[in-house]
Amino acid sequence: LDVTYLGAVTVPAALFLLSLLLTNQQDWLKHPLAVFIYFEPILVLVSLFTDPYHGLFFAGKRVENSAIILDAGPVFWFNVVYSYALTLLATVFIVRAFLRSSGIYRKQLGIVLLGIFFTWLNSIIFVLGLNPLPGADNTPFSFTITALSFAFAVGRYQLLDVIPVARDNLIEKMVDGVLVI
């Protein structure tokens, strides 16, 4: 369980940072918010690994060798709210960029949104108690599908190439007309 949290606390922050880069909104990283984005996962992990001393993560009811959290403390719930907020913001940023874009940029963002959709769907299924694997967390499976979707966007549509960001910075802010032959 502790090892799975290495990914669980970093994925929402990484997705949020990716959404800022994909939508050309790096200005958010200049604010004090950036410090919070980087340090919250570290603080949650420290709380998780030191939980036997304070009980703030498992509410003092940690079950050894368990793959799920049965009782949660305030740090766990803070992380849940934080993770959902970052994932929701990332989704909103990418949806807005998707609606304004066209061509290959729209395809790139569409594939990314498809991957994010699986994570949201998994979360809804898990929260509603409709988990097809009782007693297990199916989050790693949804992250695998999301990762495959992102890999497809990188391989097929050159998601992380410099060209989309350079195009936005150059063409969209240019005051003169451009003729491309």
Side-chain angles (χ1 to χ4, degrees):
L1 180 62
D2 291 356
V3 172
T4 63
Y5 255 81
L6 291 171
V9 299
T10 57
V11 166
L15 177 63
F16 182 72
L17 294 172
L18 177 68
S19 75
L20 293 178
L21 295 174
L22 288 177
T23 60
N24 201 22
Q25 297 185 45
Q26 296 91 334
D27 295 342
W28 281 60
L29 298 177
K30 296 177 185 170
H31 295 78
L33 176 67
V35 173
F36 191 64
I37 291 169
Y38 295 128
F39 285 115
E40 191 275 347
I42 295 169
L43 294 175
V44 169
L45 288 174
V46 167
S47 174
L48 171 68
F49 292 125
T50 60
D51 188 67
Y53 302 109
H54 50 71
L56 293 174
F57 196 86
F58 291 105
K61 299 177 184 174
R62 182 179 181 121
V63 177
E64 292 298 322
N65 299 322
S66 176
I68 59 173
I69 295 176
L70 302 174
D71 287 306
V75 173
F76 172 84
W77 289 114
F78 174 78
N79 184 61
V80 167
V81 171
Y82 169 83
S83 297
Y84 275 103
L86 281 186
T87 305
L88 180 62
L89 276 172
T91 305
V92 167
F93 288 159
I94 295 172
V95 165
R96 282 183 31 205
F98 174 80
L99 295 174
R100 291 184 308 210
S101 65
S102 62
I104 193 166
Y105 310 115
R106 188 177 186 97
K107 291 176 184 175
Q108 290 173 343
L109 295 174
I111 298 295
V112 169
L113 284 173
L114 183 65
I116 293 171
F117 166 76
F118 282 108
T119 304
W120 279 113
L121 180 64
N122 170 71
S123 180
I124 292 167
I125 288 171
F126 192 75
V127 167
L128 293 177
L130 304 172
N131 190 355
L133 305 169
D137 186 359
N138 56 338
T139 302
F141 299 114
S142 72
F143 283 160
T144 301
I145 293 170
T146 300
L148 290 172
S149 153
F150 283 25
F152 181 75
V154 168
R156 176 78 167 106
Y157 296 111
Q158 297 80 36
L159 175 65
L160 300 177
D161 282 0
V162 177
I163 295 170
V165 174
R167 179 204 173 271
D168 283 347
N169 285 333
L170 180 66
I171 303 297
E172 296 295 328
K173 295 176 182 173
M174 186 179 288
V175 293
D176 298 324
V178 175
L179 178 63
V180 178
I181 300 175

